[in-house]
Amino acid sequence: MDSVIASEAQQSKEHKSSAFEKRLKRQVIGKLHRFQAVVPLGFEQTLVHELCSILKSDDSAEASDTNFLPHVTGDGKVEFTAKITDAWKAVAYSRIANRILMHLADFKAENFRELEKKAAEIPWELYLAQNGVHIHVSCKHSRLYHSDAIAERLYKIIEGVGVGQKSQLFGSVMPARKRSVATLALCSCPLAPVSPNNAKSKVDNKFPEPAEGSETSATPSPRGSAPNTPPQNLFATLINDRCTIWLDLAGEELYRRGHERFVNDAPLKETIAAGMILEAIEILRLRATHGVYPEQSRRAQEDTVPITLIDPMAGSGTFSLEAAYMASSLIPGTCRDFALKHQPAFKEATWNFLTRRENGQSPTDERREVAAATIAKIVTSDISERSIEIIKHNIECSPLASIAPSENSPTITPQIRDFFSYTSKEIADLCGDTSPILVLNPPYGKRLDFDAPKLYTKIGRHLASLASGLKQLGKTLSVAILAPKDDTRDGARYTCTANLLRECPALSPENNAAAKHIVTSHGGLTLNVLIAKI
């Protein structure tokens, strides 16, 4: 009798499992979904080009529908429609996106009753596993404005706890209006821990700040998460009484490449560095296509523009590492875990097929960089000995350490060197028959103990001198540089960008058709990204 009961129980379990798999395939895996990619401000169009390359489809019907294609929907937001497996590919391959979010629901919610009713209709079991979830809520121009209370209702729906019952999240019933973010943070259920291997010193993992006038909440799950697994994030936004819920496929932000990394003061996010490199390559490629120089025009027709990337203020080596990843066609996410791997729809065989590479490298014909270019050489230097040691450590801990040097995989050999000691003749000799791209992230910030505007004046003067000298040697210098937004209030005269452009006018789109100005933000500061062929 016991064996019969056990057999029936096993059959029932298998039947339920089979039914669940069918639901997953029908409602999650097999259908098209709306996705939103979050990108550093100003690099939206850069991400559009990258996603078009990653998501290229042989399905002519999908390819011809512009609604499916990646398109900019707002500041730092790019949306596209695809199957979830295509979104997995975007998570693995994108160098510029900070997050990839999957749209779960969109409904009107003028009160908590409507919110709870609509949230209960979402088949949460198809999207979330048994480990914990973080709910991030932002509200603007809505009758429901208390983000903590909204998060609590959503938790109770997801956890199957009745609204009128004792809350497992807080341990006691407390009116939502009296519960602050601090109270939520101090409850007994901890936030999902971050893996030590994915930790990055001095850089916080934050979702982009909400618009002014909105309230936000990011609270822990009752269950918590399994150790060393990425957090499961839900983002709920209420704007004009309309609630939109997104599921994060990444977990930690995608600028985290997964390997151990030491950083210097004011490190640059990898996504911004990659975006700047790709934009500089694109400007170089477009200029070559226009036939400014016959040799470059011929190379452009062959769909390749060999370059030497010069990183003379390397800091932690972010530019150099990202350039080496591109040159080696390394998958950005090859070293890290993602939230999507811990969600019910995940299929390991499918993921392995999408990311199947030798040493995490992508094939020559499928994943060439968005801007057609070959990074033939990387020149890395910094005036600080500490920076050089940091760069060497970061290289040793990265996937680059396991790749044998070759023509397609340039090595990074950092050296102590002052940027202002470089000469035009030296750069021309370093480049050979390649085109130079110089990337700069100079120190900035009002709290630094030096005159930043004066430094940018000196940088602009030196760039102009290098460009002039290279032109006489038959080469054109491309530059990508970060500069803080000018502040002239109350006679502050913090004019780094103005000083830079005064000394090197060719960096400005107003004076140069082959120049681009991108306004972005990093570390709470508004920054100007100036990219030009000068």
Side-chain angles (χ1 to χ4, degrees):
M1 180 62 70
D2 291 341
S3 61
V4 172
I5 294 175
S7 176
E8 291 178 350
Q10 180 65 24
Q11 291 177 5
S12 176
K13 184 177 181 180
E14 291 175 355
H15 176 74
K16 290 180 180 179
S17 177
S18 175
F20 183 74
E21 288 296 323
K22 288 180 180 178
R23 291 180 63 209
L24 272 177
K25 185 174 182 179
R26 184 173 63 252
Q27 299 184 45
V28 182
I29 300 172
K31 64 181 291 189
L32 295 173
H33 299 274
R34 174 183 163 200
F35 296 94
Q36 182 182 99
V38 181
V39 64
L41 186 67
F43 289 94
E44 296 87 358
Q45 203 59 49
T46 316
L47 180 61
V48 167
H49 293 313
E50 184 190 47
L51 288 176
C52 285
S53 175
I54 295 172
L55 303 173
K56 59 184 178 182
S57 172
D58 295 329
D59 189 331
S60 58
E62 283 190 25
S64 62
D65 192 336
T66 56
N67 292 325
F68 290 169
L69 299 177
H71 56 282
V72 180
T73 57
D75 291 343
K77 298 176 183 178
V78 173
E79 291 193 12
F80 60 94
T81 300
K83 291 186 176 180
I84 193 170
T85 50
D86 293 321
W88 292 352
K89 193 174 181 182
V91 169
Y93 283 92
S94 178
R95 304 185 188 280
I96 310 170
N98 282 330
R99 293 188 188 274
I100 303 292
L101 307 177
M102 178 179 175
H103 179 260
L104 297 188
D106 192 327
F107 51 85
K108 185 177 181 180
E110 295 182 343
N111 52 60
F112 284 118
R113 181 180 178 185
E114 288 183 341
L115 175 73
E116 292 160 0
K117 179 181 178 182
K118 292 296 183 180
E121 295 174 359
I122 300 173
W124 297 105
E125 69 279 6
L126 298 180
Y127 304 109
L128 298 172
Q130 292 300 311
N131 52 326
V133 58
H134 301 177
I135 299 179
H136 307 254
V137 178
S138 61
C139 311
K140 186 176 181 182
H141 304 316
S142 297
R143 290 174 175 82
L144 295 179
Y145 59 87
H146 199 302
S147 54
D148 296 344
I150 294 167
E152 180 189 358
R153 261 61 171 198
L154 292 175
Y155 274 127
K156 287 180 176 179
I157 294 295
I158 294 171
E159 295 294 327
V161 178
V163 175
Q165 298 176 7
K166 184 176 179 181
S167 170
Q168 295 180 5
L169 176 62
F170 304 104
S172 62
V173 177
M174 183 188 297
R177 296 186 187 87
K178 296 182 180 179
R179 194 175 296 120
S180 65
V181 175
T183 306
L184 292 168
L186 291 171
C187 69
S188 60
C189 309
L191 289 167
V194 177
S195 170
N197 293 332
N198 293 338
K200 179 175 177 180
S201 174
K202 299 186 181 180
V203 180
D204 291 331
N205 177 23
K206 293 183 179 179
F207 191 66
E209 292 295 326
E212 184 178 353
S214 65
E215 286 194 18
T216 63
S217 174
T219 55
S221 165
R223 289 197 181 114
S225 296
N228 300 326
T229 61
Q232 297 289 333
N233 295 310
L234 283 175
F235 293 93
T237 61
L238 276 92
I239 302 177
N240 296 322
D241 294 326
R242 193 142 196 96
C243 180
T244 306
I245 299 178
W246 302 86
L247 173 66
D248 181 21
L249 299 183
E252 292 181 324
E253 287 192 73
L254 292 175
Y255 74 81
R256 297 175 182 267
R257 300 308 193 207
H259 57 83
E260 181 180 281
R261 181 176 174 226
F262 290 168
V263 296
N264 214 330
D265 295 332
L268 183 66
K269 281 188 178 181
E270 288 80 352
T271 46
I272 294 179
M276 290 176 63
I277 293 171
L278 291 178
E279 284 288 347
I281 291 173
E282 184 67 7
I283 284 181
L284 178 63
R285 186 183 69 83
L286 291 175
R287 286 278 292 186
T289 304
H290 292 159
V292 179
Y293 297 100
E295 178 66 15
Q296 289 181 339
S297 182
R298 181 186 67 78
R299 286 173 177 167
Q301 293 173 2
E302 296 173 356
D303 214 25
T304 179
V305 182
I307 67 171
T308 292
L309 185 124
I310 304 170
D311 185 11
M313 291 184 173
S316 306
T318 306
F319 280 124
S320 296
L321 286 166
E322 289 301 307
Y325 294 158
M326 292 178 188
S328 305
S329 296
L330 278 168
I331 300 172
T334 190
C335 289
R336 58 165 287 180
D337 198 2
F338 297 105
L340 65 87
K341 292 185 178 182
H342 306 273
Q343 293 167 0
F346 180 70
K347 304 294 181 185
E348 188 171 2
T350 303
W351 175 262
N352 290 340
F353 175 78
L354 293 173
T355 60
R356 185 179 56 207
R357 307 291 181 265
E358 183 178 355
N359 292 328
Q361 291 176 284
S362 54
T364 304
D365 58 344
E366 181 182 337
R367 184 66 182 110
R368 296 309 256 169
E369 288 308 314
V370 177
T374 300
I375 300 177
K377 300 178 183 177
I378 300 174
V379 179
T380 308
S381 63
D382 196 279
I383 197 172
S384 166
E385 183 177 355
R386 177 173 177 267
S387 292
I388 299 304
E389 293 303 317
I390 287 175
I391 295 168
K392 290 179 179 178
H393 170 84
N394 292 339
I395 295 169
E396 291 171 359
C397 294
S398 75
L400 298 170
S402 61
I403 298 178
S406 68
E407 293 182 359
N408 297 326
S409 302
T411 58
I412 302 174
T413 307
Q415 57 179 320
I416 300 176
R417 182 76 184 272
D418 186 355
F419 161 62
F420 297 104
S421 70
Y422 281 92
T423 65
S424 301
K425 177 66 166 58
E426 185 179 7
I427 290 177
D429 292 341
L430 285 170
C431 293
D433 61 352
T434 67
S435 299
I437 292 181
L438 195 149
V439 289
L440 287 168
N441 178 29
Y444 50 80
K446 297 180 183 179
R447 296 180 181 177
L448 297 180
D449 57 352
F450 66 90
D451 190 340
K454 184 177 180 180
L455 173 64
Y456 275 85
T457 299
K458 189 177 179 182
I459 291 173
R461 190 175 299 133
H462 192 54
L463 288 176
S465 175
L466 290 175
S468 176
L470 285 167
K471 190 173 183 180
Q472 295 176 12
L473 296 171
K475 287 190 175 293
T476 304
L477 179 66
S478 296
V479 177
I481 182 171
L482 279 161
K485 179 183 176 182
D486 290 342
D487 182 5
T488 57
R489 294 174 300 177
D490 300 326
R493 302 303 300 170
Y494 189 76
T495 55
C496 296
T497 299
N499 292 7
L500 177 68
L501 295 179
R502 184 184 65 243
E503 299 297 330
C504 189
L507 288 171
S508 172
E510 296 179 0
N511 304 313
N512 183 1
K516 189 170 187 178
H517 178 201
I518 295 173
V519 178
T520 190
S521 62
H522 185 261
L525 296 175
T526 300
L527 301 177
N528 295 309
V529 180
L530 301 170
I531 305 169
K533 190 168 185 180
I534 61 175

